[in-house]
C-alpha cells in the first residue's frame, strides 16, 4: 500500500513549475476527450451495465475527472489545474447546485391537485401552465413543481414516457425564454446590459410558435397512445384545484429575489477564494439559497413531501455527475472563448458572412447545438461577444442576431439530457417513479426527430 503514495508523490514532483492557467488558444481538442468520455458513460453504461452504473456512477465519472485533473496538472502545472478546478466550482458548480437544491427542496414541499387525470387534454393543460410559469420561477422551478403533477396524473397509464419527454421540451427549456429569470443565458444577457423586459418584448412570438406547435404535436401523439390504454377506469378522479405547502411560496419568492439581487450587485465588492475572484453578492446568493432550502425542510409538512414521493437521490446524482462535467468541460469553454485563435476556429467562422456580419441562421444553430452539450450560459456569452458584446447595438440594429442567439441557447437545451439543468433531474425523478426513460442517445432520437424539423423551419425566418 505504501507504493501508491510514492508513485503519486513522484508524479506531482515531476510536474512543470509554471502555474498560470493556459489560454484557450494553447489547448488542442484532445482536452475535450475527458468531457466526451463522461458523455459516453452517461450514454452507454446505463444500457450495457445498468446495475454497475446505478451503484457506481459517481466512481465512474469521478475516475474520468481524476484522470483529466492529473493530465492537466502534468501538462500545465498543479496550480493551473487547481485554479481551473476552483473556477469551475466557484463560478459554475456551487451556483448551479445551490439553486437546484433550493428549488428542488421547496418544490418538493409544494403539492398541487386539480382536474389532472392523465387524459390528452389534461396533459396539455399541465404542459402549457408549466411552460408559462417557467419564465417566472425559472425552468428549474417550474420543472420541479410540475413534474410531480404530471407523473401523478399519468401514474395509471402504460404509455407515459412521451409525456415526460415533451415536459422536458416545453417546461424545462422552451418556456424559459421570456425573462432573465427563465434561463441562465438570458440572465447573463441581463447582467451584460440587455434590458430585463427585452426577452418578453422580442422573444414572445418564438415561444407562441414553437410551444404551440409542440403542444399540438403532443396532443396528437398522446391521443394516439391514449387509445391503447386498457384501464381507463383507473384514472384519478377530477379534483378541485388546490395548493398545499403554501409556506414554501414566500421561500420561492425569496429565491427569485436573491437571483435578481446577485445580478444587480455584480459590480460590488469582490473577495479572493483560493485565488479566484468571487463577487460578494454571488456568495450571499449561494449561501442564501442553501439556507432557504434548509428552511423549507423545517417548515414543510412531511405528508406533502411523502405524497410527492420526495427523495434526495435525484439531486445527489446530479451533484455527483455535474461536478465532473463542469470540471472536464472547462478546457472546451476556454477553447470557445479563444474564438478564431482556438481549435474550434473553423466552427466559429461559420457564424459570420464574408463581410463580417453575423449570420443569424448560423448563430441559432451553432449556439444552440453547442449549448446542447456544453453549459449554455458560457456558450451564450461567447457568441454574445462575437456579435460585438455591445448590448445597446445588440438590442438595436443587431436585434435579430440577439434573438437568434437567445432562441438557440434556450430552446436547444432540450436536445440532450445535459443541455439544461432540469433535464437530467426530470429524467431521474421520472425513473424513480417507474417511468422507463430513453437512454442518452435514445432521448436524442426523440429530440432531433421532433424538435429538429421544428427548429429548422423556425430558424429560416430569423
Amino acid at each position: 500500500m505504501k507504493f501508491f503514495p510514492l508513485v503519486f508523490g513522484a508524479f506531482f514532483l515531476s510536474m512543470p513549475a509554471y502555474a498560470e492557467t493556459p489560454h484557450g488558444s494553447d489547448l488542442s481538442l484532445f482536452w475535450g476527450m475527458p468531457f466526451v468520455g463522461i458523455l459516453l458513460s452517461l450514454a452507454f453504461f446505463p444500457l450495457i451495465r445498468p446495475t454497475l452504473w446505478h451503484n457506481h456512477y459517481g466512481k465512474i465519472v469521478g475516475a474520468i475527472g481524476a484522470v483529466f485533473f492529473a493530465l492537466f496538472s502534468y501538462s500545465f502545472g498543479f496550480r493551473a489545474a487547481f485554479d481551473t478546478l476552483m473556477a469551475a466550482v466557484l463560478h459554475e458548480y456551487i451556483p448551479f447546485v445551490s439553486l437546484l437544491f433550493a428549488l428542488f427542496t421547496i418544490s418538493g414541499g409544494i403539492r398541487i391537485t386539480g382536474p389532472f387525470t392523465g387524459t390528452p387534454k389534461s396533459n396539455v393543460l399541465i404542459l402549457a401552465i408549466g411552460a408559462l410559469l417557467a419564465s417566472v420561477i425559472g425552468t428549474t422551478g417550474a420543472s420541479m413543481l410540475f413534474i410531480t403533477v404530471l407523473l401523478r396524473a399519468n401514474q395509471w397509464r402504460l404509455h407515459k414516457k412521451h409525456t415526460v419527454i415533451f415536459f422536458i421540451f416545453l417546461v424545462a427549456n422552451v418556456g424559459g425564454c421570456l425573462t432573465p429569470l427563465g434561463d441562465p443565458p438570458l440572465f447573463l444577457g441581463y447582467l451584460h446590459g440587455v434590458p430585463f423586459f427585452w426577452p418578453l418584448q422580442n422573444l414572445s412570438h418564438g415561444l407562441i410558435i414553437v410551444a404551440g406547435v409542440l403542444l399540438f404535436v403532443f396532443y396528437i401523439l398522446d391521443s394516439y397512445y391514449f387509445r391503447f390504454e386498457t384501464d381507463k377506469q383507473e384514472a384519478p378522479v377530477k379534483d378541485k384545484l388546490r395548493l398545499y405547502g403554501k409556506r414554501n411560496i414566500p421561500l420561492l419568492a425569496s429565491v427569485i429575489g436573491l437571483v435578481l439581487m446577485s445580478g444587480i450587485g455584480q459590480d460590488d465588492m469582490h473577495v479572493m477564494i483560493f485565488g479566484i475572484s468571487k463577487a460578494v453578492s454571488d456568495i450571499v446568493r449561494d449561501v442564501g439559497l442553501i439556507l432557504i432550502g434548509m428552511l423549507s425542510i423545517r417548515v414543510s409538512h412531511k405528508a406533502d413531501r411523502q405524497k410527492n414521493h420526495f427523495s434526495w437521490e435525484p439531486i445527489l446524482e446530479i451533484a455527483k455527475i455535474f461536478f465532473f462535467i463542469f470540471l472536464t468541460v472547462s478546457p472546451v469553454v476556454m477553447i470557445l472563448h479563444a474564438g478564431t485563435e482556438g481549435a474550434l476556429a473553423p466552427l466559429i467562422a461559420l457564424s459570420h458572412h464574408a463581410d463580417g456580419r453575423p449570420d443569424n441562421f448560423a448563430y441559432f444553430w451553432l449556439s444552440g447545438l453547442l449549448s446542447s452539450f456544453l453549459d449554455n450560459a458560457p456558450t451564450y456569452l461567447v457568441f454574445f461577444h462575437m456579435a460585438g458584446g455591445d448590448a445597446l447595438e445588440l438590442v438595436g440594429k443587431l436585434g435579430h442576431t440577439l434573438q437568434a442567439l437567445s432562441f438557440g441557447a434556450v430552446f436547444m437545451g432540450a436536445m440532450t439530457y445535459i443541455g439544461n439543468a432540469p433535464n437530467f433531474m426530470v429524467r431521474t425523478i421520472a425513473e424513480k417513479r417507474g417511468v422507463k426513460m430513453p437512454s442518452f442517445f435514445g432521448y436524442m432520437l426523440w429530440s432531433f426527430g421532433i424538435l429538429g424539423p421544428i427548429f429548422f423551419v423556425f430558424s429560416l425566418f430569423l
Side-chain angles (χ1 to χ4, degrees), residues 152-236:
R152 189 186 308 118
N154 291 272
Q155 187 172 3
W156 63 278
R157 289 186 56 171
L158 292 175
H159 304 89
K160 50 195 172 186
K161 172 176 62 178
H162 65 287
T163 64
V164 181
I165 292 172
F166 274 83
F167 184 93
I168 294 175
F169 292 169
L170 283 156
V171 182
N173 290 278
V174 172
C177 73
L178 296 185
T179 74
L181 296 173
D183 220 39
L186 300 183
F187 184 66
L188 274 184
Y190 168 62
L191 296 183
H192 284 77
V194 178
F196 186 89
F197 290 105
W198 184 90
L200 180 64
Q201 295 167 345
N202 294 273
L203 305 182
S204 299
H205 68 285
L207 174 64
I208 293 171
I209 293 170
V210 173
V213 172
L214 281 173
L215 286 171
F216 175 75
V217 172
F218 171 78
Y219 181 76
I220 298 300
L221 185 63
D222 199 36
S223 297
Y224 169 77
Y225 282 124
F226 193 75
R227 293 165 48 195
F228 298 99
E229 300 294 345
T230 57
D231 295 323
K232 293 185 175 67
Q233 67 274 12
E234 297 295 326

Side-chain angles (χ1 to χ4, degrees), residues 233-294:
Q233 67 274 12
E234 297 295 326
V237 179
K238 285 187 177 181
D239 197 358
K240 291 182 179 180
L241 189 63
R242 290 188 176 92
L243 180 67
Y244 299 88
K246 296 184 180 69
R247 297 176 181 179
N248 285 282
I249 301 301
L251 300 181
L252 194 59
S254 299
V255 169
I256 296 173
L258 275 175
V259 172
L260 284 175
M261 177 277 300
S262 67
I264 296 171
Q266 281 293 306
D267 295 327
D268 290 343
M269 185 170 53
H270 286 66
V271 296
M272 300 297 292
I273 304 176
F274 295 109
I276 304 298
S277 177
K278 179 85 170 174
V280 173
S281 58
D282 286 348
I283 297 174
V284 172
R285 177 199 63 208
D286 297 341
V287 173
L289 289 172
I290 294 172
L291 292 176
I292 289 173
M294 295 172 66

Side-chain angles (χ1 to χ4, degrees), residues 8 11-12 15 31 34 61-87 89 323-324 327-328 331:
F8 279 99
F11 176 79
F12 283 107
M15 291 178 185
W31 292 107
V61 297
I64 297 173
V67 170
F68 163 78
F69 187 83
L71 290 175
F72 204 83
S73 298
Y74 187 80
S75 299
F76 302 105
F78 177 78
R79 183 66 192 186
F82 182 76
D83 286 346
T84 300
L85 170 63
M86 293 311 301
V89 169
F323 178 90
F324 296 103
L327 171 62
T328 56

Side-chain angles (χ1 to χ4, degrees), residues 359-397:
D359 184 333
N360 297 338
F361 181 86
Y363 259 72
F364 175 81
W365 281 101
L366 289 178
S367 66
L369 290 175
L370 287 172
S371 294
S372 299
F373 294 94
L374 310 178
D375 189 345
N376 59 1
T379 301
Y380 170 93
L381 199 56
V382 167
F383 283 88
F384 185 91
H385 288 302
M386 283 175 55
D390 185 343
L392 291 177
E393 186 177 33
L394 283 169
V395 300
K397 67 178 183 179

